[in-house]
Structure formats: structure tokens, C-alpha cells
Amino acid sequence: MPAVPFQYMLGSFKRRRLTMIITMGGFALVIFVYTAVLMMSHGVEKTLATGGSEQNVVVSRKSSQGEISSIIDGDAVNVILTLPQIAKDANGRTLATAEPVVVINLYKKDDGGMSNVTIRGVDETAFKVRAHVKITDGKMFAPGSRDIVVGKAVNSGFAGTSIGERIKIANDYWTIVGVMSAEGSAFESEIWGDSKQLQAAFNRQNTISTMTFRMTDQASIDEIKKAFESDRRLVQYEPKTEIKFYKEQSELLAAFLKALGTAVTFIFSFGAIIGAVITMYTAVANRTTEIGTLRALGFRRRSVLFSFLIESVFLALIGGAGGVALAAFLQFFSISTINFNSFAELSFAFSLSPEIIINAMFFSVFMGVFGGFFPSIRAARLKIVDALRNE
Amino acid sequence: MIVKLLIKNSLRHKLRTTLTVLGIGVAVGAFGLLRTVITSWYASVEVAAADRLIARQAVSFIFPLPYAYRDKIEKVPGVEKVTYLNWFQGVYIDKDQFFPRMACDANTLFDVYPEFIVSKEELEAFKKERNACVLGQDIANKYGLKIGDMMNIDGDIYPGQWQFVVRAIYKPRTPTVDGTQMFFHWEYLDERMKQDAPVRAGQVGWYAVKIKNPDDAAMISEQIDALFANSSSETKTETEKAFQNSFLKAYSAIITAINIMAILIIGVILLVLANTMIMSARERSSEYAVMKTLGFTGKHLFGLVTGESILIGIIGGVAGYFLTIFFVNGFSAVVPKNYFPVFVLEDITMIQEFGFAIIVGLIAGIIPVYHTIKTSIIDGFRHIG
């Protein structure tokens, strides 16, 4: 490691405060956008992933892209229920829930826009299979009634969804009796009602959309898959662990956000890099005499090179850290949009992860190195005599 | 004279000015790309015909309406033509090959949607064959499908294997019309349903209604909805524009996020330009002091500095305009056509680009101008480096 004139670097920071701050500001903006986009994408994945358990299996029709395009008929449900790998509760009842899933239109509170909200038909077993879903306000709907409970995100994001209000679904009014929370997962963006009532209301006879059950043992997923493949009555359906199922549901939206965001940040990061190049070139030009002095004092060419390069990376890192810090505040916000896969509203929070921070910092260093590279080379190439003679 | 001085001044540091122009250009290009993503998203609303209504199931778009509604809607005064469609989806090749696949009424579809242009012979051939389909030009090109080719689709909403033969290819009338859709005979779907799932037979997804006078849209919509009020499938009828808009509203969070990104990009442009101008002004402190001594006032200096700043901003804007074209072309080449059926750079985006370049130029000049005017002549002369 060559000797680097750190003292000198700090001194020059102080003298050129304004341009330094502006350059860092440029880096900060780029990193802010980059981080925010990754946080959105991660938020989508996290929201859908926390809904799933390794212990649970979701059965859907092969090649269906979301729950609403999946159809399982009642006979197949009865066959699935006979699988020995399905866990039972203390009373000997199978921990399986067969659910009709549809979407209905509700109006958003903020801009009055209309969006699709998932409505899922369940019975009390659904709360046992998904233990993280709890009624936090009001009460659970009574079996066989036309009462419903709404997820927290629905309750806060859509008009007319408070307890006691009624929603018109399939030509009948359904009363909201409770609000449920589900540890921030996608179920908070759903409405749950009695499955038999919903089947009847939507004229679904005995068909359902998906079925979810608890396995006796996590390892039995392979046996279950085999059972589905070998049974003629089940071959058109596909069992997946809940984790995997929900991960697939997040793929399109998360990938879209990531691709668009990353592409755009890369393009406009060049703006910030060029800003840094300008700052550094000017720094080199303004300090020509000083560079000559440093060289005359015995600092090597590479010391000068490193000094300028480090200065640039330092600027980028501080700017980048500022950008990440700013983006971290976004964690207090959640946004809600249509998920491409399920075709229904999904509310998710911006979510920061160590991986995102590391990515953002690497990106900062990359911008700093690129911004400082050519000016540093110019500084290192200066001849002592010429530099000292400057002006 | 002044312009000459501005040009001379901006050329004093050729490398710096070039870099600044480049920096602004790239950022303006990114801004243009983002804005194009948004305008493309709205393209479907822009092309929506004013004389077309969409009648769908009131609870949600995903529920069907009885086929029997057709005759009743047709009898509503002011209605010219009724056609109906049914979202089919299915999987073609694999799950990632997404483009709209719909069942339609072959006899009326192209009367209600004149923006899809099909030759007479192809249309006749399509009408005659039960399992024939019409493809949008973009989709036909993408998959190399020609008239007479077979398409195998694995049904999801409508289970089973489906086989279609391409009998017609439609061309979009203007570049903003979606050329990525596939239509086939509703009867083909309905017959299968009668056999496999009788409860699902005799149903259509939604009705598209062409009306004689666009001014009657609200009245006709009300009349249609009144026909089916309190039935098991109530309808909700609205203009196609309102219908498309409600779809887009659902994505408003993403659109807002993209808009915020676009604004932040303008922030980056501002920082780059302001940085350059501050540096220039600092280097020229003693020159400005000379000018002040000669009697030039703050007004003159203001013109000199912001003029240069705006000049560089505009040149950056021009560079950005060409880069936008480059980015937009690159983007539409890389991104599958079906994500954005329409991806065209709109005039408004270009106007915005230049508008922001000029505004940014003006703002970027403010800090250095303020400094220059504030600095006393003595301090100006004393300044070094």
C-alpha cells in the first residue's frame, strides 16, 4: 500500500465544500432510487413468502397462474383428503382447507380507483392450518352466515370496509364482522368468508380453487407429489409447499420492479458518475501546484493516484450511505398494487435487507472508482517540474 | 454578441462542458425512457373509442354474464352493434408467453373494433372454421406464425387441450393500437363447456357495445344496467375509456413510483449542471470583478452566468433527446412485446425533456450568480483557484 497523503485529502475536502456536497448529493440520489427499488421488490417477495409455511402444501390445477384461475372439483377434493400424509388435530379432524377464491371490485380510499380484492372461502380449519392469521378486531364470522372478515390492509386501504359495514357481493349484502392480521403477509390484503356460502353465491357448485393442508412431516412432500402423479384422478393437479407456491406468486411483480428499477438506475447513474468525473478533473486542475509539491516532497506517482481515487470513492461512499439512510425511512411506508400473478390487490411494505445495503454500497464504490479513475491518472501523470510551474 | 460570448465561455473548458452535456444527456434519456413507460401504460386509455361501452359483471370482471343478455342489450335504443368476448388465457408454449387470448363473436368483433384491420379474404376464412383464430401482427411475428399454422394451448381457466388454426392476422390501424391479441370463436369454447362443464356454458366475459352517438354513453349505460338490476348477474356498463382507466388505477402505486424516479432523475441533472456552473464561476471570480469595475451590473452578470447554464442545459437536452430515442428503441427490442403492447415515444415526453433542461439550466445558475453578485470587487480580485 503506497503512502497516501490523507491529511492533505481532508484539507481539500474542507476547501471545496460546496462542489463536494453536490457531488455526494448526486451519488445519494442514485443510491436512494436504487435502494428503494430493491426494497420494493424485496417487499413483494417477503409479503408473499411470510404467508407460507414449509409444513403446508397448496394444491392447484396444473398450469394455473394464480389461485383464481385454478379449479379443483369436489370429487378430487375428497380423494386428496384421503392422503395419509395430511396431519390431524387433537380431535382427529384433518388439517385441510378447501377454498373457493375469487376477486371482487372495491374502491380505494386514496384515489377512488377501483381494484380487485381477493375473497377467500374458508372454515375454522383455515385458521388452524395458517396459525399466523388472527382476528384482531371484532369477531370471527359464524359458520353458515353471510358475514365476512377483512384483512388489515383491506380495512385501511379500501372504502366501506369497517366493521359493521356491508359489501354487496353476488346480489346479496355481506356484513363485515371482524378484521384479521397475518404478520404482514398477503392474507392481510384478502377478505375471508364462509366457503359454503361463497360457493353458493358464486354458483360454484362443489368446485373450489385451491386446497391447503398441513403435512404430518415436512419430508412427506415427495411422497405426496408421487401420490398425485400416480393417481389418475389427481394427475391434473399439482401439490407445492406453501412457501414455493407463494414465491411463484411474487415472481412476476418482483422481477418487473427489479428489472425496470435496475435498468433505469444504471442508466442515470452515469449522470452522477460524470458529475464526479467533472469534480475530480477540476480538483486535479486546481491542485496542480499542490500535486507538484507533494511529488517534490517524495510522494510517488501511485500515491497521488490512490489519493485521488480514494477521494472519489470516499465521496461516493458517503453519498451512497446517505442514500441508503434516506431509503431506510421508506420502511415506514407500505404501498398497495395489483399483483400480476393473482390479479388481486397486494399490500406490501418497503423492506430493507443486509443484502440490499451491501449491493448499494458496492454500487457506490463502483461509481466512485469510475468517477475518479481518469482524473486520478491525469494527476499521477503530471511531471513535477510542469506541475510546480503551473501559473 | 451576447450569444457569442456565452458560447465562447462554455467552450473554455471543453472537457468539462462535454462531460456536463453528456451527463445531462444520459439523465434526460433515462427520464424520457421512464416517461415513455408511463405514457405507454396509458396508451390503451388514449385509443379507447368514445363510442364504445363495456358491460361487465358488476361484482368483478372475472365473473361471466349470460349469453342471453345479448339480445336485450341490442334492443336498447342508440345501440348500433353488440359483440362479446371471453377471457380465455391458457398456456401457450410455457407460462412466460403471455399475451391476451380471448374467445369472441367472429361475426361482430371487427365491426365493433375497426382499429383491428383484417383483409376480407382472411376474415371470411376465419369466420368459416370452428377452431380458427385471428392473431395480432406483433404476436404472429414474434412466434413466426403464419396463416394455416396450428397453435396448441393448454387451458387453465378452461381446462383441457385446445387446438387452434391461424386463419387471419390483424394489423393495428395506428402504432398505439395493441397488436398482441389472439381471438377465436366463442362457439368453440361454448361447445366444449356444454360437454365438460354444463354450468359454465352459455356465458360470456363481457359485452362491447358500439353506440351511435358518443354523447348518449351515460344514458345508454344506465339503461343497460337497469335491464339486469336485481338479477343474479347485475351489469356495470361504462365507456371503454373509464373501463381501461379503472384497470390502470389498480396500478397507480407503481405508476407513482416511476414518476417519483423520473423527478429524482431531474434532481441529478440539476446537481451535475449546478456543480459545473459553480466551478466555472469560482474560477472566473477575478474576471467578474474586472467586469464589475468596468460598470457591468448584477443584471449583466446574471444574464452571463444563467445564459451559459441554460445553453449547456439545452445542448444536454438535445443529446438527451437522441439518447431517449436510442433507449426507447433498445428497451422495446429487449422487453417482450407483450409486456408493453404499445411502446412509442410521445411528443409530450420530448417537450417535457426540453422544458426541464431549460428550467434546470436556470436553477443551476442561481447559486453561482448569487455568489458572483454578492462578492465584493476586492474579494473577487483576491480570489485564487
Side-chain angles (χ1 to χ4, degrees):
Chain A
M1 183 73 196
V4 175
F6 282 109
Q7 277 296 195
Y8 164 67
M9 253 172 60
L10 282 177
S12 68
F13 268 152
K14 274 191 198 143
R15 263 192 68 196
R16 273 164 271 269
R17 246 184 339 235
L18 194 56
T19 45
M20 294 293 174
I21 289 173
I22 287 182
T23 312
M24 285 193 281
F27 285 131
L29 274 185
V30 172
I31 293 297
F32 173 78
V33 171
Y34 181 67
T35 313
V37 167
L38 292 185
M39 282 168 76
M40 263 167 91
S41 175
H42 184 238
V44 172
E45 286 169 344
K46 206 174 144 190
T47 304
L48 284 163
T50 50
S53 147
E54 284 290 354
Q55 193 83 49
N56 287 349
V57 171
V58 178
V59 181
S60 62
R61 232 193 75 79
K62 265 184 195 164
S63 83
S64 63
Q65 302 187 2
E67 288 189 89
I68 57 167
S69 58
S70 168
I71 296 166
I72 305 176
D73 65 56
D75 302 337
V77 171
N78 291 331
V79 178
I80 296 169
L81 282 172
T82 62
L83 287 173
Q85 290 88 354
I86 301 181
K88 291 188 169 61
D89 67 2
N91 303 326
R93 289 182 31 197
T94 48
L95 287 171
T97 163
E99 301 169 340
V101 177
V102 294
V103 296
I104 61 164
N105 293 139
L106 290 178
Y107 289 92
K108 283 193 182 182
K109 269 182 191 164
D110 54 358
D111 59 358
M114 198 178 61
S115 194
N116 295 325
V117 177
T118 300
I119 173 159
R120 183 184 296 276
V122 297
D123 54 34
E124 68 263 34
T125 326
F127 289 87
K128 289 181 189 154
V129 176
R130 304 190 189 92
H132 62 292
V133 183
K134 289 185 182 75
I135 302 289
T136 48
D137 217 350
K139 57 175 179 134
M140 169 66 181
F141 59 82
S145 69
R146 293 213 158 178
D147 289 345
I148 47 178
V149 292
V150 297
K152 226 165 75 179
V154 175
N155 181 251
S156 61
F158 287 88
T161 55
S162 309
I163 291 177
E165 290 192 87
R166 299 194 304 165
I167 298 178
K168 194 173 187 190
I169 305 170
N171 218 26
D172 197 3
Y173 286 96
W174 299 57
T175 312
I176 298 167
V177 295
V179 176
M180 59 182 172
S181 78
E183 292 171 3
S185 71
F187 297 120
E188 290 184 356
S189 302
E190 297 186 350
I191 296 176
W192 286 13
D194 183 89
S195 59
K196 290 276 178 309
Q197 288 296 322
L198 282 167
Q199 273 176 331
F202 289 115
N203 196 18
R204 287 274 161 125
Q205 267 82 19
N206 62 351
T207 65
I208 54 146
S209 303
T210 56
M211 186 169 171
T212 305
F213 61 80
R214 177 78 55 84
M215 286 183 277
T216 48
D217 175 13
Q218 265 185 47
S220 18
I221 180 74
D222 291 327
E223 292 170 35
I224 294 169
K225 275 187 185 148
K226 264 195 205 110
F228 270 79
E229 276 156 25
S230 55
D231 193 324
R232 197 175 43 79
R233 295 164 298 178
L234 297 183
V235 77
Q236 56 171 318
Y237 307 109
E238 201 173 12
K240 281 177 196 156
T241 62
E242 215 176 15
I243 290 269
K244 188 165 175 240
F245 184 83
Y246 284 115
K247 204 174 163 188
E248 287 177 5
Q249 293 287 297
S250 72
E251 265 168 8
L252 269 181
L253 184 59
F256 171 78
L257 292 173
K258 212 183 241 170
L260 180 73
T262 314
V264 171
T265 13
F266 265 103
I267 295 176
F268 90 101
S269 72
F270 278 96
I273 291 175
I274 287 171
V277 173
I278 295 169
T279 305
M280 295 313 291
Y281 262 131
T282 312
V284 174
N286 285 339
R287 290 187 228 158
T288 309
T289 324
E290 294 163 31
I291 294 167
T293 314
L294 282 174
R295 292 287 315 283
L297 287 174
F299 283 102
R300 314 286 305 254
R301 278 182 198 279
R302 22 167 220 238
S303 300
V304 173
L305 181 103
F306 270 95
S307 132
F308 279 93
L309 207 52
I310 288 175
E311 194 172 319
S312 165
V313 171
F314 189 68
L315 282 179
L317 272 177
I318 296 189
V324 171
L326 219 60
F329 282 105
L330 291 175
Q331 287 180 102
F332 296 111
F333 296 95
S334 61
I335 52 179
S336 178
T337 191
I338 288 268
N339 182 15
F340 300 155
N341 279 85
S342 62
F343 199 53
E345 192 78 6
L346 175 73
S347 165
F348 57 93
F350 284 89
S351 168
L352 195 59
S353 73
E355 204 190 328
I356 293 176
I357 298 179
I358 292 169
N359 265 340
M361 291 334 275
F362 262 110
F363 192 22
S364 304
V365 172
F366 163 83
M367 289 196 294
V369 170
F370 256 73
F373 190 67
F374 291 105
S376 308
I377 286 187
R378 173 183 280 190
R381 280 216 179 134
L382 286 172
K383 289 203 179 92
I384 300 183
V385 187
D386 292 344
L388 284 174
R389 206 186 279 144
N390 186 263
E391 288 192 30
Chain B
M1 173 59 200
I2 297 286
V3 178
K4 207 170 162 190
L5 184 59
L6 292 180
I7 295 174
K8 275 260 156 74
N9 258 346
S10 51
L11 288 179
R12 272 163 63 175
H13 263 287
K14 287 203 187 63
L15 179 67
R16 183 155 75 204
T17 309
T18 315
L19 285 173
T20 310
V21 166
L22 207 64
I24 296 171
V26 171
V28 166
F31 171 83
L33 177 60
L34 282 183
R35 287 297 311 165
T36 305
V37 167
I38 291 180
T39 53
S40 306
W41 221 317
Y42 279 103
S44 59
V45 179
E46 296 307 319
V47 297
D51 63 350
R52 236 173 4 228
L53 305 177
I54 302 287
R56 61 172 178 90
Q57 219 268 7
V59 172
S60 165
F61 185 67
I62 69 160
F63 299 111
L65 290 169
Y67 173 70
Y69 285 10
R70 182 192 184 184
D71 292 341
K72 289 186 182 168
I73 296 174
E74 231 159 23
K75 283 190 192 110
V76 173
V79 169
E80 194 179 318
K81 201 116 203 176
V82 178
T83 192
Y84 47 92
L85 292 136
N86 211 338
W87 186 256
F88 175 76
Q89 193 168 291
V91 177
Y92 178 59
I93 305 178
D94 61 56
K95 278 186 190 179
D96 297 329
Q97 314 302 320
F98 175 83
F99 55 91
R101 291 176 277 262
M102 286 174 276
C104 74
D105 177 31
N107 288 317
T108 51
L109 180 74
F110 294 97
D111 298 332
V112 179
Y113 288 90
E115 65 263 44
F116 300 145
I117 299 171
V118 190
S119 75
K120 233 183 196 138
E121 301 76 44
E122 288 183 9
L123 184 58
E124 282 312 310
F126 167 60
K127 282 180 181 170
K128 267 185 218 144
E129 209 165 338
R130 199 29 69 96
N131 67 339
C133 70
V134 187
L135 288 184
Q137 183 182 263
D138 293 331
I139 281 304
N141 290 344
K142 181 177 177 191
Y143 296 97
L145 288 164
K146 300 179 300 297
I147 306 264
D149 285 351
M150 302 300 287
M151 279 178 92
N152 290 309
I153 294 180
D154 189 12
D156 45 13
I157 302 174
Y158 299 95
Q161 290 298 317
W162 300 78
Q163 207 172 43
F164 303 99
V165 55
V166 181
R167 281 293 171 227
I169 289 170
Y170 77 80
K171 290 179 191 61
R173 173 163 284 168
T174 63
T176 47
V177 172
D178 187 355
T180 69
Q181 309 189 31
M182 180 255 204
F183 302 100
F184 64 91
H185 288 254
W186 178 82
E187 285 85 358
Y188 183 45
L189 178 70
D190 198 51
E191 270 166 23
R192 270 283 269 282
M193 286 301 112
K194 274 181 195 150
Q195 279 179 8
D196 299 351
V199 263
R200 301 180 70 190
Q203 295 179 329
V204 306
W206 65 95
Y207 290 95
V209 183
K210 191 173 184 185
I211 54 176
K212 284 177 190 135
N213 184 355
D215 297 337
D216 299 336
M219 196 186 69
I220 297 176
S221 301
E222 267 173 41
Q223 283 179 352
I224 294 175
D225 290 346
L227 284 177
F228 311 110
N230 299 319
S231 73
S232 63
S233 309
E234 292 187 0
T235 58
K236 177 173 170 146
T237 309
E238 55 197 344
T239 60
E240 193 174 65
K241 208 169 202 133
F243 174 75
Q244 300 277 21
N245 235 334
S246 66
F247 255 93
L248 285 174
K249 274 273 176 74
Y251 293 105
S252 60
I254 294 182
I255 292 173
T256 310
I258 294 178
N259 269 328
I260 291 174
M261 253 206 260
I263 291 167
L264 291 180
I265 289 176
I266 294 170
V268 169
I269 305 176
L270 179 63
L271 290 177
V272 171
L273 188 54
N275 196 11
T276 298
M277 291 322 293
I278 289 169
M279 284 177 185
S280 306
R282 198 176 41 212
E283 286 165 7
R284 295 178 202 158
S285 291
S286 43
E287 284 169 39
Y288 291 141
V290 170
M291 294 181 81
K292 277 189 192 169
T293 321
L294 292 176
F296 285 96
T297 60
K299 212 163 59 185
H300 295 112
L301 293 176
F302 178 84
L304 208 58
V305 179
T306 48
E308 184 180 341
S309 174
I310 292 174
L311 180 71
I312 298 179
I314 291 175
I315 300 172
V318 173
Y321 164 69
F322 287 109
L323 277 171
T324 309
I325 296 176
F326 174 74
F327 288 150
V328 167
N329 288 340
F331 188 83
S332 54
V334 175
V335 174
K337 190 87 185 159
N338 29 28
Y339 274 109
F340 290 96
V342 173
F343 203 75
V344 190
L345 182 58
E346 307 252 352
D347 295 342
I348 181 75
T349 305
M350 300 179 208
I351 294 167
Q352 281 171 343
E353 286 182 344
F354 284 107
F356 280 121
I358 292 170
I359 294 169
V360 161
L362 188 66
I363 298 174
I366 286 176
I367 298 178
V369 162
Y370 178 76
H371 264 277
T372 308
I373 294 174
K374 272 286 213 167
T375 312
S376 68
I377 297 179
I378 293 291
D379 284 341
F381 275 124
R382 215 181 265 149
H383 187 89
I384 29 164

